[in-house]
Amino acid sequence: MQINSFEEYQRNYQLSVDQPEEFWARIADNFLWKKKWDKVLSWNFSEPNIKWFEGAKLNITENCLDRHLAENGDKPAIIWEPNDPQKDSITLSYKILHEQVCRFANVLKKNGVKKGDRVCIYMPMVPELAVAVLACARIGAVHSVVFGGFSAKSIADRINDAQCRLVITADGAFRGNKQIQLKEVIDDALIGCPSVEKVIVLTHTRTPVSMLKGRDIWWEDEIKLVDTNCPAEEMDAEDLLFILYTSGSTGKPKGVVHTVGGYMVYAGYTFSNVFNYQPDEVFFCTADIGWITGHSYIVYGPLSQGATTVIFEGIPTYPDASRMWQVVEKHKVNILYTAPTAIRSLMSFGLQPIEGVDLTSLRVLGSVGEPINEEAWHWFDENIGKSKCPIVDTWWQTETGGIMISPIAFVTPTKPSFATLPLPGIQPVLVDEQGNVIEGNDVSGNLCIKFPWPGMLRTTYGDHERCKQTYFSTYDNMYFTGDGCLRDVDGYYRITGRVDDVINVSGHRIGTAEVENAINMHAGVVESAVVGFPHDVKGQGIYAFVIFPNAHGDEDLTRKDILQTVTRVIGAIAKPDKILFVSGLPKTRSGKIMRRILRKIAEGDTTNLGDITTLLDPAVVDEIIEKAKK
Ligand code: 6R9
């Protein structure tokens, strides 16, 4: 299923458009099914109702583990690199990983988890996180991984939305020179989560934690009570595999739902092709498993292809800015998949951290999460890839399950800051505000996809109407991505950023409405408006305009109070970079905040604010501009 030339790509692409069912059936044949499908695809984008490989039976963990045992049982499946470089790394072979997954799956069963039950996972980046994820999949439980940076309230909202029965966590996590008290956060969250019956706690940082009788149990104790024999649950292709929450235009994060068969095929196919993965290569994706990139390209994609995948607990700048390169050298990484924000941050340390580090193992570089600026692209290319490694700038989303528009390494000619061309099976269209499809090249518009692909979301958990409204109602019969995009003279795609009220901070999606809700929870705040602004390292920063009538006393302290409130409500990742106290917000006569104006002010570009005559009180704009200058 690997594409090896541009001509082959074109042939495959054409086939995927002309005969999508034949195309995907052929790809799906490379996976292990307990029973093959009756029908490859049935769909409509109006309800929406999307089914891939209907009637097929499988278990994704047999594809990620069992099928590699006979020939590759001793091959490393996971290489774990700890936060502290002085500590030993750990390698788990496919055989050992299989054993651990089966054993932990039995722990879940013993604690009452059944097929279809939801399990929340809130863990550090340790091998046991992958074990927990795969153990859920083994028994047909639906995992909902929550990133370690979210607050107790965010976790509680997610647990309640999915009605999770069990939580898997650890005492704490190491991140650079910080420790995060994960169990404490879970304890706070669970005060408001009646659906949770059991909490399994892994020891990692070994900080003191409270253990509630009847509810909290230790991972290490539980695994002693079960054996390693756990037959894989037979799943329908369209059974739920996982829920992953992501931000949108409205205040409440959505639980994006992925199903077993299509997701597996798409994650595996894109992994194998985009990175041109070769047997025995080491693949290092620097994302956290708490995000979709980690789901698809640390766990499911690589393991389904029998690859060796690196799990890195730490951060690129700890203990110093050479760490990521040290990890590459130490584990002889062949493919490095990271984010523009990490590249920009490491760029700022100059070339010294790379000096003397052996990066010759690298063959392919990847970028994901946000637009990569040309400067960062060239720096990555020249200093890390030594101008020899193709860079795959991969555009995709939590909702798409896997990479959508991207070069295929060694196949697609690249162009800095362009995601280039759609992968086989993906039919992008650019649409104007009125919903007209924009044909031809050298054009830009809103990016939509007009035909289903196996990895696409099926629904938003517990609220199908919301899925329809968010993705399938803006334009008829199309999936709307929320991104703006241009197609250049060569037909190459360049993603220009979100066109909705979502900000992309260091590759993390944050809804402006979510941040506003959090700020507004502070007792003294009357109203707030949040917009994104260009940030040298993070890509975008968060700028909050806040009406706080009594902030005059100590503005700095009030700012800190607001940051603390946001940290409590969402998590530290959503803290505004700038807070400006204002006496009013620019509103239209119908009461809508004109964000366009605030965005301009946040960018520091006040020369052309456009038409402000429709504002209720135009004077407020001058006041904000004056304050923003200070
Ligand atoms: C995989 C992931 C999705 C949003 C997406 C877009 C932005 C992702 C990008 C990119 C430009 C790329 N995005 N990859 N923008 N070039 N190569 O990041 O999923 O967290 O859901 O974010 O990220 O705006 O809509 P997710």
Side-chain angles (χ1 to χ4, degrees):
M1 74 179 178
Q2 238 172 29
I3 294 169
N4 288 306
S5 69
F6 194 67
E7 186 274 326
E8 206 183 329
Y9 159 72
Q10 288 175 312
R11 218 170 348 104
N12 272 271
Y13 188 81
Q14 204 51 47
L15 179 68
S16 78
V17 173
D18 296 340
Q19 299 178 294
E21 299 199 31
E22 286 76 356
F23 173 79
W24 285 112
R26 209 181 292 172
I27 302 298
D29 272 334
N30 293 287
F31 293 80
L32 183 69
W33 304 86
K34 287 176 190 279
K35 174 185 172 285
K36 288 267 171 93
W37 47 91
D38 304 317
K39 189 162 174 26
V40 176
L41 169 66
S42 50
W43 68 288
N44 71 66
F45 275 178
S46 50
E47 292 176 40
N49 185 3
I50 295 118
K51 290 201 175 93
W52 281 93
F53 311 114
E54 224 175 327
K57 305 273 186 200
L58 75 156
N59 187 290
I60 194 168
T61 69
E62 287 186 329
N63 283 269
C64 291
L65 302 169
D66 305 57
R67 72 161 164 163
H68 309 309
L69 294 183
E71 278 176 25
N72 286 312
D74 294 323
K75 177 177 173 175
I78 291 175
I79 297 175
W80 178 67
E81 173 65 23
N83 180 61
D84 177 356
Q86 306 297 325
K87 277 207 273 186
D88 291 335
S89 48
I90 293 175
T91 301
L92 301 186
S93 66
Y94 271 93
K95 205 159 78 199
I96 302 282
L97 180 61
H98 175 262
E99 237 170 68
Q100 291 196 1
V101 168
C102 288
R103 193 182 278 280
F104 194 67
N106 282 332
V107 169
L108 294 176
K109 279 204 255 183
K110 182 178 151 286
N111 283 288
V113 181
K114 295 193 185 56
K115 180 175 178 175
D117 285 346
R118 276 79 56 213
V119 172
C120 172
I121 302 178
Y122 186 68
M123 287 180 82
M125 282 284 282
V126 291
E128 289 85 351
L129 168 50
V131 170
V133 163
L134 292 164
C136 287
R138 186 86 177 166
I139 63 168
V142 179
H143 56 77
S144 164
V145 184
V146 178
F147 173 64
F150 281 112
S151 70
K153 184 181 179 310
S154 290
I155 299 165
D157 289 347
R158 285 159 174 74
I159 288 176
N160 288 331
D161 187 72
Q163 289 291 294
C164 294
R165 178 156 198 186
L166 186 138
V167 175
I168 308 169
T169 188
D171 46 2
F174 297 112
R175 253 183 89 72
N177 54 19
K178 287 200 204 103
Q179 270 199 42
I180 302 159
Q181 310 299 331
L182 297 177
K183 176 60 165 59
E184 206 175 288
V185 181
I186 288 293
D187 287 334
D188 288 345
L190 293 189
I191 292 169
C193 299
S195 65
V196 175
E197 294 162 14
K198 286 277 165 68
V199 180
I200 302 179
V201 187
L202 176 81
T203 61
H204 183 55
T205 57
R206 215 40 208 106
T207 44
V209 293
S210 100
M211 292 293 281
L212 202 69
K213 189 177 285 169
R215 189 194 71 181
D216 300 351
I217 48 183
W218 293 107
W219 176 298
E220 288 79 0
D221 291 342
E222 289 298 302
I223 55 171
K224 290 190 194 125
L225 307 175
V226 294
D227 63 22
T228 57
N229 177 33
C230 181
E233 187 76 35
E234 186 170 288
M235 305 293 285
D236 283 331
E238 283 298 337
D239 278 340
L240 270 58
L241 175 61
F242 66 85
I243 305 170
L244 189 56
Y245 286 84
T246 190
S247 295
S249 308
T250 57
K252 202 172 145 247
K254 304 176 277 272
V256 169
V257 169
H258 285 287
T259 56
V260 182
Y263 174 81
M264 171 185 76
V265 169
Y266 199 67
Y269 174 73
T270 52
F271 170 76
S272 166
N273 272 291
V274 170
F275 302 104
N276 185 249
Y277 182 81
Q278 301 300 312
D280 299 326
E281 284 194 325
V282 176
F283 181 82
F284 177 19
C285 165
T286 67
D288 192 290
I289 293 176
W291 308 110
I292 190 67
T293 305
H295 280 60
S296 301
Y297 300 108
I298 295 179
V299 182
Y300 289 115
L303 297 179
S304 77
Q305 300 308 297
T308 300
T309 180
V310 175
I311 298 183
F312 175 40
E313 182 189 17
I315 54 172
T317 49
Y318 177 81
D320 58 54
S322 73
R323 183 65 193 281
M324 213 159 90
W325 319 127
Q326 300 285 353
V327 177
V328 170
E329 176 180 78
K330 179 171 173 190
H331 299 294
K332 302 197 170 45
V333 169
N334 305 106
I335 307 170
L336 174 67
Y337 190 29
T338 191
T341 186
I343 299 168
R344 286 190 299 261
S345 142
L346 294 175
M347 248 168 83
S348 69
F349 292 91
L351 295 179
Q352 192 273 328
I354 311 167
E355 272 160 32
V357 186
D358 182 1
L359 298 176
T360 50
S361 58
L362 287 174
R363 205 170 60 85
V364 177
L365 302 176
S367 170
V368 61
E370 43 171 331
I372 180 166
N373 48 310
E374 292 202 26
E375 196 192 350
W377 196 100
H378 286 297
W379 189 88
F380 200 34
D381 179 39
E382 285 156 27
N383 300 300
I384 306 307
K386 316 289 180 196
S387 306
K388 280 190 250 166
C389 305
I391 297 180
V392 290
D393 175 2
T394 64
W395 172 83
W396 60 295
Q397 309 178 298
T398 304
E399 295 85 344
T400 69
I403 299 166
M404 300 284 282
I405 302 182
S406 167
I408 295 174
F410 306 106
V411 167
T412 317
T414 59
K415 199 185 277 192
S417 80
F418 278 78
T420 71
L421 297 170
L423 295 182
I426 305 309
Q427 302 186 32
V429 276
L430 300 184
V431 182
D432 69 17
E433 296 293 335
Q434 285 73 46
N436 307 309
V437 171
I438 305 166
E439 309 281 356
N441 287 341
D442 200 9
V443 291
S444 51
N446 291 344
L447 179 62
C448 294
I449 315 288
K450 69 172 182 193
F451 195 83
W453 63 100
M456 72 183 300
L457 87 163
R458 301 296 193 267
T459 186
T460 46
Y461 194 80
D463 192 351
H464 193 64
E465 183 58 25
R466 188 151 178 227
C467 172
K468 178 177 169 171
Q469 283 304 325
T470 312
Y471 306 106
F472 298 94
S473 298
T474 316
Y475 303 111
D476 272 353
N477 279 314
M478 281 188 254
Y479 166 81
F480 176 44
T481 64
D483 280 315
C485 181
L486 68 82
R487 186 165 54 219
D488 77 355
V489 283
D490 300 321
Y492 268 34
Y493 291 85
R494 177 186 196 151
I495 313 301
T496 47
R498 303 287 306 194
V499 294
D500 54 6
D501 291 320
V502 171
I503 326 181
N504 193 327
V505 184
S506 302
H508 301 156
R509 269 163 75 170
I510 296 171
T512 53
E514 241 177 295
V515 184
E516 287 165 6
N517 289 347
I519 294 173
N520 296 350
M521 280 195 193
H522 187 292
V525 171
V526 172
E527 197 179 5
S528 63
V530 166
V531 296
F533 72 99
H535 188 288
D536 285 347
V537 173
K538 298 181 184 180
Q540 277 189 299
I542 303 178
Y543 200 127
F545 299 86
V546 180
I547 307 181
F548 194 119
N550 297 314
H552 317 302
D554 188 338
E555 285 202 356
D556 271 345
L557 193 57
T558 307
R559 257 190 211 100
K560 286 184 186 147
D561 288 346
I562 291 175
L563 293 180
Q564 191 62 18
T565 310
V566 174
T567 304
R568 281 276 168 197
V569 178
I570 306 175
I573 55 168
K575 280 198 298 199
D577 300 274
K578 284 190 188 168
I579 295 176
L580 191 72
F581 293 112
V582 296
S583 66
L585 293 167
K587 286 191 180 172
T588 60
R589 290 196 183 89
S590 58
K592 265 185 93 170
I593 297 172
M594 290 190 75
R595 280 162 204 286
R596 176 177 59 79
I597 295 175
L598 294 176
R599 250 179 250 131
K600 284 267 187 194
I601 296 173
E603 281 165 19
D605 169 19
T606 50
T607 46
N608 179 18
L609 289 179
D611 182 12
I612 58 168
T613 53
T614 54
L615 285 181
L616 192 62
D617 177 13
V620 81
V621 175
D622 297 328
E623 182 215 307
I624 299 176
I625 292 174
E626 273 316 301
K627 285 215 166 128
K629 277 190 198 144
K630 282 189 201 140

